[in-house]
Amino acid sequence: QNKLAIITAIQVSTQSENDDFVLEDVPHLTNFLPDLPSYPNPLNKRQAYSIVKKNFVSPEDVVAQNVVIQKESPRGVHFRRAGPREKVYFEPEKVRACIVTCGGLCPGINTVIREIVCGLNNMYGVQDILGIEGGYKGFYSKNTLMLTPKVVNDIHKRGGTFLRTSRGGHDTHKIVDNIQDRGINQVYIIGGDGTQRGASLIYEEMSMERSHSLIHLVLFYNHLFMKEVKKRGLKVAVAGIPKTIDNDIAVIDKSFGFDTAVEEAQRAINAAHVEVESVENGVGIVKLMGRYSGFIAMYATQASRDVDCCLIPESPFYLEGRGGLFEFIEQRLKENGHLVIVVAEGAGQEYVAAEGHASDKKDASGNKLLLDVGPWLSDKIKDHFTVFRKMAVNMKYIDPTYMIRAIPSNASDNIYCTLLAQGAVHGAMAGYTGFTIGPVNSKHAYIPIARVTERQKTVKLSDRMWARLLASTNQPDFVASEQES
Ligand code: ATP
Ligand code: MG
């Protein structure tokens, strides 16, 4: 372990060259508060879980971000492997956990809530679990309820969030005061990028400040942990469970609810297809979620195969001229008599804005409100064909956003949510803090919160998946066409 720590220390200080072994580790409560006891994992005592005993994860196990092992030794970025530890940091009867959900809706939130509660209770015997209602504000507006396996038993069958949610209202000091006042020592935070940034602030406020040189020193000389500068020095584990229907969270393979969203999006695409097939010159437009990342649009297009053209934020497009969208639409109408376009909500924002629709409006969390590309695109196409091409088109516009967000998660997401929730519980019980949980190369790992908030995952136009989509739809790639003309 010491050897690993030293390697880690060196890597942290040199800021990760690709060729080195890098461990992006998550903090452990014993880092800040030395000489703390550890206890045997209660799973040991539970007959029904005797199998789990064999599956304890060694605290030294790491997960490689890049599966390709070069030369003879592991290289590249690694994260601490998730899973139950043989020794845990918390005594179950002294645990007071809380769960909060923030930001927009996404299929599967209720399954995560349910499985955190059941995981804490069934696996570790934790009885004291609070639900904070209505997002971060709920911490100081005193809206809480007691969560037991019985209370949450059926909630995974419903969409939305059992604990309700909100935007805005993150006041780190008030939240941490409240956590301290209530004697909470495990905080489970389910939410998107904004929520995870908030979680990071809560973790920083509770634990301690430390400089990079100090990390170096601390990891080099384990016994120096106690010299760290504490902010509040609370023995509280903060666990983030990343939620984003757009699948735009960095590092992790996929976010929960994404599969369900793609499946439901297919139904909207199918409806658009049925509509346009039944009329003359039918043009269907389906607007899907994806503020900055076009994953839902890309996967729904691939899954459905009824889509003629998929427009995403990462791939600029243009309407007029050779190789433009209008030309492509006309060609498909001539060939097939109808077509379906899928447009992600963040696509073409610059064109909508350029036409005087720009605004600086923001939501309560400070996120820029996007301009509505769906109706804009529908009007543009309608105008072009009826006014300029003297060709009547039958426009069918579908925006299934709220229908998709509101449904319960499908089978694969339900299983995935269970893994996330149980992984978060194992991590917090083991004493890790300031982490988010998620699969990295299909192995679940504990990832420092900051690592998942520093950037968003987007569709890489040079990746195979986008190339596969272009091959499947045979749509113009716009970039090449623009260069040619
Ligand atoms: P989604 O975008 O998927 O709907 P989100 O978590 O990004 O989810 P937001 O509305 O941006 O949704 O944020 C949710 C909560 O996190 C809000 O209560 C907001 O106040 C808080 N929050 C957002 N950004 C930050 C930040 N930079 N620092 C602290 N808190 C934040
Ligand atoms: Mg967000």
Side-chain angles (χ1 to χ4, degrees):
Q1 195 167 1
N2 271 347
K3 192 174 157 208
L4 184 66
I6 292 165
I7 294 168
T8 312
I10 292 163
Q11 299 311 334
V12 168
S13 64
T14 56
Q15 282 300 310
S16 99
E17 285 298 311
N18 237 5
D19 254 9
D20 299 331
F21 175 94
V22 179
L23 176 61
E24 294 205 10
D25 207 357
V26 292
H28 192 274
L29 287 165
T30 53
N31 295 12
F32 327 135
L33 301 151
D35 304 325
L36 289 165
S38 64
Y39 305 95
N41 194 319
L43 286 167
N44 268 326
K45 285 186 249 153
R46 301 185 163 230
Q47 277 300 311
Y49 293 98
S50 55
I51 189 83
V52 178
K53 196 176 161 187
K54 289 187 217 130
N55 292 335
F56 284 133
V57 171
S58 158
E60 290 179 37
D61 282 4
V62 292
V63 171
Q65 192 177 22
N66 185 350
V67 274
V68 181
I69 304 292
Q70 299 153 340
K71 298 186 190 152
E72 71 288 351
S73 57
R75 282 149 204 274
V77 174
H78 292 68
F79 299 102
R80 193 64 67 187
R81 187 176 171 196
R85 302 305 202 245
E86 195 159 10
K87 296 269 187 224
V88 295
Y89 169 70
F90 288 98
E91 282 180 284
E93 54 279 11
K94 293 192 183 149
V95 170
R96 170 166 262 219
C98 76
I99 308 174
V100 64
T101 58
C102 314
L105 295 183
C106 170
I109 298 178
N110 280 338
T111 312
V112 176
I113 297 171
R114 183 190 190 279
E115 295 308 320
I116 292 173
V117 174
C118 293
L120 278 167
N121 194 280
N122 299 347
M123 296 193 294
Y124 290 93
V126 172
Q127 307 275 344
D128 197 357
I129 310 165
L130 295 173
I132 308 293
E133 290 187 286
Y136 280 131
K137 289 175 198 160
F139 274 106
Y140 46 86
S141 55
K142 310 272 182 217
N143 296 332
T144 52
L145 76 162
M146 282 304 292
L147 298 175
T148 61
K150 202 168 168 197
V151 170
V152 297
N153 188 43
D154 272 340
I155 64 172
H156 62 293
K157 294 176 189 165
R158 287 178 248 158
T161 160
F162 178 68
L163 295 174
R164 296 187 288 114
T165 182
S166 65
R167 296 196 190 273
H170 178 99
D171 183 325
T172 312
H173 285 274
K174 273 160 91 175
I175 292 170
V176 177
D177 281 349
N178 195 270
I179 288 170
Q180 209 169 353
D181 291 349
R182 289 178 198 256
I184 290 166
N185 50 17
Q186 288 186 6
V187 185
Y188 295 90
I189 301 175
I190 306 166
D193 54 336
T195 306
Q196 299 304 324
R197 277 188 200 102
S200 194
L201 293 177
I202 293 172
Y203 152 70
E204 282 164 25
E205 171 70 25
M206 301 220 245
S207 40
M208 39 95 237
E209 275 170 344
R210 56 183 183 172
S211 68
H212 267 287
S213 57
L214 208 50
I215 295 178
H216 190 156
L217 211 63
V218 164
L219 289 169
F220 216 83
Y221 303 106
N222 274 343
H223 61 277
L224 284 184
F225 280 142
M226 61 186 67
K227 297 261 168 72
E228 290 186 330
V229 185
K230 295 185 187 74
K231 267 199 169 175
R232 296 207 196 183
L234 302 179
K235 298 176 196 175
V236 179
V238 180
I241 296 100
K243 167 219 67 94
T244 157
I245 202 164
D246 294 350
N247 195 31
D248 57 0
I249 298 259
V251 186
I252 66 170
D253 298 345
K254 190 168 68 175
S255 50
F256 75 80
F258 176 70
D259 271 359
T260 309
V262 169
E263 210 169 284
E264 192 65 12
Q266 266 193 99
R267 287 186 235 282
I269 294 170
N270 185 48
H273 187 240
V274 168
E275 286 284 344
V276 297
E277 237 187 355
S278 313
V279 294
E280 205 183 328
N281 283 342
V283 177
I285 296 185
V286 180
K287 188 181 80 172
L288 295 176
M289 292 86 87
R291 290 173 66 87
Y292 304 104
S293 313
F295 288 104
I296 294 182
M298 179 169 76
Y299 277 79
T301 296
Q302 292 277 53
S304 135
R305 287 161 208 282
D306 280 336
V307 179
D308 293 83
C309 186
C310 172
L311 303 172
I312 59 170
E314 296 88 336
S315 174
F317 64 94
Y318 56 97
L319 301 176
E320 320 258 355
R322 206 175 124 225
L325 187 64
F326 291 154
E327 188 188 75
F328 174 73
I329 295 173
E330 196 166 332
Q331 187 192 330
R332 284 282 156 112
L333 287 179
K334 277 187 189 140
E335 283 167 11
N336 302 335
H338 61 267
L339 95 159
V340 174
I341 298 170
V342 158
V343 58
E345 62 180 320
Q349 286 296 306
E350 61 280 24
Y351 308 122
V352 193
E355 296 198 1
H357 303 282
S359 97
D360 288 330
K361 282 192 191 148
K362 292 190 172 161
D363 69 14
S365 295
N367 302 307
K368 192 169 177 289
L369 287 178
L370 292 186
L371 303 162
D372 201 343
V373 66
W376 173 85
L377 187 62
S378 308
D379 289 346
K380 280 278 167 195
I381 295 171
K382 228 178 338 188
D383 282 357
H384 173 81
F385 284 99
T386 49
V387 178
F388 299 108
R389 304 292 298 154
K390 307 285 180 230
M391 216 176 126
V393 290
N394 258 307
M395 180 65 67
K396 309 285 176 188
Y397 174 61
I398 300 179
D399 180 351
T401 305
Y402 289 105
M403 293 189 64
I404 294 174
R405 283 168 36 138
I407 56 169
S409 48
N410 67 10
S412 75
D413 270 325
N414 262 334
I415 295 166
Y416 177 29
C417 289
T418 308
L419 297 190
L420 288 173
Q422 291 191 358
V425 167
H426 290 313
M429 285 302 298
Y432 293 107
T433 183
F435 69 86
T436 28
I437 171 108
V440 180
N441 270 323
S442 78
K443 284 264 180 271
H444 280 244
Y446 300 130
I447 306 155
I449 297 180
R451 190 70 167 71
V452 295
T453 54
E454 68 195 4
R455 66 177 181 91
Q456 265 165 328
K457 187 165 74 176
T458 53
V459 173
K460 300 266 172 303
L461 299 183
S462 53
D463 272 6
R464 288 200 183 94
M465 207 57 192
W466 185 246
R468 286 179 189 125
L469 179 138
L470 295 178
S472 167
T473 58
N474 207 16
Q475 69 186 64
D477 66 8
F478 299 107
V479 182
S481 313
E482 199 172 33
Q483 280 163 359
E484 275 167 31
S485 56

